[in-house]
Amino acid sequence: MQHKERVGRIDPPVWRGAKLNYQFIEIEHHNSSDKPMSPIEILQEFNSCYVKIQAIAQNENWLLLIADKKIDPEVATHVGDTLHYLGEVMGCVEEIVEVKFNQESKS
C-alpha cells in the first residue's frame, strides 16, 4: 500500500485505516446494489475465498518467499489464521444452510 507524504510525513495509521474503511464501504455499497445473496450463495463465496487463499498458502513460490525470509515468517501464521477463521465462518453459515435445507425438505 502506498502512503501519501504530507510535508515529509506519511499518513498516520489511523488515516490509513480510515481509507481502508472507505474502500470497504465502497465495495459494500457496490455489492448492496446487487440482489441479496442467499445463505448458500454466501457459503459458496466464502468457500471460493478459502480455496484461493489455501492455493496461495500451498504455492511453491509463496513457500520459497517464507523459506528465503524475503517476507516476515509471521505472515504464514496470519494466512493460517485467516484460513482457520474463514473455516469457522463457513461452519456457522453451513448451519444456517442446513437448517434452511431441512425446513424446505419437510415442506
Side-chain angles (χ1 to χ4, degrees):
M1 173 180 239
Q2 293 181 349
H3 308 290
K4 292 182 182 178
E5 290 200 13
R6 296 176 192 247
V7 192
R9 293 188 283 167
I10 61 172
D11 290 343
V14 171
W15 292 357
R16 289 189 298 246
K19 289 177 184 175
L20 288 175
N21 285 337
Y22 177 76
Q23 290 169 346
F24 178 75
I25 290 168
E26 285 296 314
I27 291 168
E28 194 174 55
H29 176 71
H30 171 73
N31 290 340
S32 68
S33 64
D34 298 337
K35 68 177 180 79
M37 295 171 69
S38 69
I40 189 72
E41 290 170 322
I42 292 168
L43 182 58
Q44 289 168 339
E45 287 297 317
F46 278 131
N47 187 59
S48 175
C49 293
Y50 187 95
V51 168
K52 289 176 184 177
I53 295 168
Q54 187 176 47
I56 292 168
Q58 295 172 351
N59 180 278
E60 183 178 350
N61 289 332
W62 171 256
L63 296 172
L64 285 173
L65 286 172
I66 296 167
D68 294 343
K69 297 185 179 180
K70 293 189 178 183
I71 58 173
D72 186 342
E74 194 170 329
V75 171
T77 302
H78 296 318
V79 170
D81 291 347
T82 300
L83 288 170
H84 169 76
Y85 288 115
L86 194 50
E88 293 292 315
V89 168
M90 289 172 18
C92 293
V93 177
E94 282 174 348
E95 290 175 15
I96 296 168
V97 170
E98 287 175 10
V99 167
K100 187 171 181 167
F101 175 78
N102 289 336
Q103 288 174 344
E104 289 175 358
S105 65
K106 289 179 183 178
S107 304

